Amino acid sequence: MAPTVTRIDAAGNTQLGEGPHWDPVSKTLYFVDIEGGTIHKYCPATNSSTKASIDGHDGRSVSLIIPVKNQPNKFVISVDRDLGVVTWDGKSTKVSFEKIAEVDTAADVIGNRINDGKCDASGRIWFGTIGVHDPKTMKFSENASFYSLHAGKPKHHFGDVTISNGLVWNKNNTKFYYIDTPTQRVEVFDFDLATGNISNRKTLAELPKLGVIGGPDGMTIDTEDNLWVAVFDGACVLQVSGKDGKLMQKVDIPAKQITSVAWGGDNLDELYVTSARLFDPALTAPVHGAVYKITNTGFKGFPMNEAVL
């Protein structure tokens, strides 16, 4: 049976949907609207959604939301270059932000902001930044960086990043996969869970060589160590082998700008997909900026890791 794609209108519409995170306890999907500066919650059981803005931070970007382990209603989020914690009951329309770390503080990069982020199996938060862009050419500077948060302090792993995006680990926590969107590559590192070190950087797959138009964005992994990659400006999600980078299947999505993916549902066999409607006035709601769900893939994922602070 071919995969089935459904638009979830009850989840609302965003300018730049990102950072989907499925909570298996509450059976809800959390995600953000980067451009709207809001955090979102979608509950499939009631087919309803809510959202909240960050008190005192209107107009600033919010790019990730990760539950804090063993602390109900607490989440790590980003606000521009800051990581912090909010407490949200899923109902309130505003939340207070408690800053815990700041990155890219040098004078020549203070216009950067945090982009995609996730936790490894030990609860460390891994995240990267995005460079400042020229609104005329839509080119981004290459002075962003990639970090993890160790004992409350950012650890710099590498620089020369343009748009830090998808990140995920294999089931044995020995490989770390990473995307810097403009490179059009999915890269793989050796990963040491005990130390939090990454090494031996290699290219796993390149979208042009796979015959795919668009830029790789957010991604997740299934239980067979295959990557599922959102393709911005490509109107699709790719399944790519985490072992050799071969294209296994391509799932078309009605929206053009696909931003990220996360496994959800009772059996973690439903793939939730976020999208955007940027730069082009022809990309209108409800199709563009919507949340989609892919079923009947024949695959399933792992529970997403939570933050340990």
Side-chain angles (χ1 to χ4, degrees), residues 56-138:
H57 294 79
D58 292 343
R60 298 177 67 184
S61 300
V62 177
S63 65
L64 60 87
I65 179 167
I66 304 169
V68 178
K69 191 171 184 177
N70 297 325
Q71 297 188 50
N73 297 335
K74 282 193 176 295
F75 304 87
V76 173
I77 71 167
S78 66
V79 174
D80 287 349
R81 293 179 291 111
D82 299 335
L83 276 183
V85 178
V86 298
T87 300
W88 188 36
D89 58 8
K91 301 176 184 178
S92 305
T93 57
K94 280 192 176 293
V95 293
S96 296
F97 178 74
E98 180 184 349
K99 178 178 169 179
I100 57 176
E102 182 179 1
V103 296
D104 285 10
T105 56
D108 60 336
V109 293
I110 57 173
N112 292 359
R113 66 162 175 81
I114 295 171
N115 203 42
D116 205 356
K118 287 181 182 173
C119 286
D120 66 21
S122 73
R124 296 185 196 93
I125 305 167
W126 295 73
F127 60 99
T129 55
I130 178 173
V132 177
H133 76 275
D134 182 333
K136 294 181 179 179
T137 64
M138 288 315 302

Side-chain angles (χ1 to χ4, degrees), residues 243-261:
K243 299 177 179 64
D244 57 22
K246 290 182 178 179
L247 179 62
M248 300 176 66
Q249 65 174 311
K250 174 175 171 281
V251 182
D252 293 325
I253 309 291
K256 182 181 181 182
Q257 298 174 341
I258 308 306
T259 56
S260 196
V261 287

